Amino acid sequence: MPPRRHQHQQQPPRVYVTRKLPGDALQTLAKSCQVTLNSRPEPPTRKELLKNVRGKDAILCMLSDRIDAQVMDAAGPSLKIISSYSTGFEHIDVAEATRRGIYVTYTSDILAEATADLTFALLLACARNVVQGDRMVREGRWKVGWTPDLLLGQQVHGSTIGIIGLGRIGTAVARRAGGFGMRILYYSRNRNEKAEAETGATYSDLDGLLAQSDFVSIHTSMNDASRHMINRSSLRKMKKTAYLINTARGAIVDERDLALALEEGWIAGAGLDVFEKEPLPKASPLVRMEKNVVLLPHIGSASRQTREKMAQAAVKSILDVLVVGGGRGEPEPAFCVNQIRRR
Ligand code: DGY
């Protein structure tokens, strides 16, 4: 079906989409907009990004695309909305977009339950040597059948989890921890009394949480205050038997300090879905640590259901601004990160 004519423009609104998305959200978008899609599996190069945003009304980007003043300049004055297919939006210069009257939207907490599931997958994999066991069986190293002390791990039930950041994802993790009979501590910039009441989580200062937890799980957002929040000094405060789980953002942890802590046995292990540099370079010392580190390729939100909902939300924000609102900013899109004065 040809794109529907835009109410206030000769041409349908133009949208650059930086990656293919699961589900049929892009088909919905194409019904009312002229879509330029990077259909390769890799993100667009910087050069491609700058070229393809030219003259667009909207950019639908991923967390791997840096959207800064240069990109906004390249897009030009037609750009009205940057819709990110992500919960984090630290890859977008929001202040610059706001100054230019461009909406920035994200996919909010849609991923909370999926990310909490994966957090527990990592926690259990670390605690109970799941990945090591799988390799042992496949590689024919399981020689003597059932063995009293084969791959002894850490008991999860009855242990203590320390959750850093008790927002929607942290709370979803706390709910699961309750099901595992864990004692739940949390540290956050602000107390979350509602989540405390729901999950039985107890507030602690960061040092207290690090010292008492068997599993420290990170669920805070990435910003200047949280960058390298977990570093040499914090890792030194953790129990030698404890595991660090990170499904938030790589740069919250100083990876060099973490590698040292793992090499020298300051902590027992780590389960990581996110890294300072993604994809994780093969030369990273973490790659060599097969016994005490479980590594995943940033798939916290990667359930079909969640990723499809994220795609629908990212598309809806664009349609709200360009089609429903006729580009005038009424109604304001859902999941808007910045406040734009209506034009
Ligand atoms: C996000 O959306 O910020 C996640 O890290 C990936 O889905």
Side-chain angles (χ1 to χ4, degrees):
M1 209 210 299
R4 193 158 18 105
R5 289 263 164 203
H6 190 236
Q7 228 182 327
H8 300 277
Q9 288 175 320
Q10 288 301 308
Q11 296 296 318
R14 286 151 302 174
V15 184
Y16 179 50
V17 182
T18 65
R19 299 290 265 285
K20 277 194 285 192
L21 300 181
D24 56 11
L26 290 184
Q27 279 149 266
T28 308
L29 185 67
K31 285 186 186 150
S32 340
C33 299
Q34 188 185 313
V35 175
T36 306
L37 171 68
N38 165 40
S39 53
R40 286 184 295 118
E42 309 86 50
T45 62
R46 184 76 181 165
K47 206 167 145 202
E48 286 165 343
L49 180 64
L50 293 172
K51 175 169 165 269
N52 284 310
V53 297
R54 198 172 303 148
K56 300 295 187 287
D57 298 278
I59 304 172
L60 199 166
C61 65
M62 315 292 127
L63 51 86
S64 42
D65 307 309
R66 183 162 48 84
I67 308 292
D68 54 14
Q70 192 189 18
V71 175
M72 297 177 213
D73 280 343
S78 56
L79 186 63
K80 296 172 193 69
I81 171 166
I82 300 160
S83 171
S84 189
Y85 176 71
S86 64
T87 290
F89 47 85
E90 68 280 356
H91 52 293
I92 302 172
D93 187 340
V94 177
E96 183 59 31
T98 310
R99 204 178 63 71
R100 295 173 186 233
I102 300 167
Y103 287 105
V104 177
T105 60
Y106 71 138
T107 52
S108 187
D109 295 319
I110 291 170
L111 51 54
E113 300 298 335
T115 306
D117 284 346
L118 193 92
T119 301
F120 256 83
L122 272 176
L123 186 154
L124 290 165
C126 287
R128 300 300 306 276
N129 299 310
V130 172
V131 178
Q132 274 197 71
D134 177 87
R135 283 195 203 115
M136 177 181 280
V137 176
R138 278 174 208 285
E139 292 166 11
R141 288 184 287 108
W142 184 33
K143 300 280 193 216
V144 283
W146 187 88
T147 303
D149 60 354
L150 182 65
L151 291 180
L152 296 185
Q154 153 83 30
Q155 175 107 344
V156 173
H157 185 267
S159 64
T160 299
I161 186 168
I163 298 175
I164 299 180
L166 198 65
R168 281 284 294 276
I169 303 173
T171 304
V173 169
R175 250 186 264 120
R176 285 159 179 73
F180 278 88
M182 298 173 94
R183 174 177 170 238
I184 307 164
L185 301 177
Y186 81 97
Y187 166 75
S188 238
R189 263 183 306 176
N190 303 307
R191 291 267 304 253
N192 184 344
E193 275 149 20
K194 188 163 167 268
E196 285 178 28
E198 185 199 335
T199 64
T202 305
Y203 182 82
S204 162
D205 62 19
L206 184 57
D207 285 358
L209 177 149
L210 293 169
Q212 294 175 68
S213 301
D214 299 301
F215 301 93
V216 172
S217 193
I218 304 174
H219 302 289
T220 190
S221 53
M222 181 65 223
N223 51 47
D224 288 342
S226 63
R227 179 175 301 280
H228 288 183
M229 176 185 202
I230 300 298
N231 51 32
R232 180 180 291 245
S233 136
S234 30
L235 290 159
R236 280 277 190 208
K237 290 174 186 144
M238 288 173 63
K239 293 184 185 179
K240 269 185 175 318
T241 50
Y243 292 86
L244 180 74
I245 311 295
N246 190 6
T247 55
R249 282 291 181 267
I252 297 171
V253 177
D254 185 325
E255 238 168 56
R256 280 185 19 186
D257 290 357
L258 175 63
L260 184 70
L262 291 162
E263 250 154 29
E264 298 196 348
W266 307 353
I267 64 173
L272 307 170
D273 182 44
V274 288
F275 305 92
E276 289 204 70
K277 185 167 175 358
E278 295 181 3
L280 181 67
K282 227 177 141 206
S284 163
L286 296 170
V287 174
R288 293 195 304 273
M289 299 178 189
E290 290 198 9
K291 293 216 166 121
N292 54 351
V293 180
V294 177
L295 304 172
L296 292 177
H298 203 151
I299 52 169
S301 63
S303 72
R304 267 189 304 283
Q305 294 82 348
T306 292
R307 288 281 171 90
E308 287 183 14
K309 275 192 202 148
M310 287 169 63
Q312 281 155 10
V315 162
K316 182 173 183 305
S317 296
I318 292 177
L319 296 178
D320 279 352
V321 171
L322 299 183
V323 178
V324 183
R328 295 184 312 279
E330 270 176 63
E332 191 169 89
F335 305 146
C336 197
V337 170
N338 56 353
Q339 277 206 322
I340 300 296
R341 267 194 295 133
R342 288 178 176 161
R343 286 172 272 198

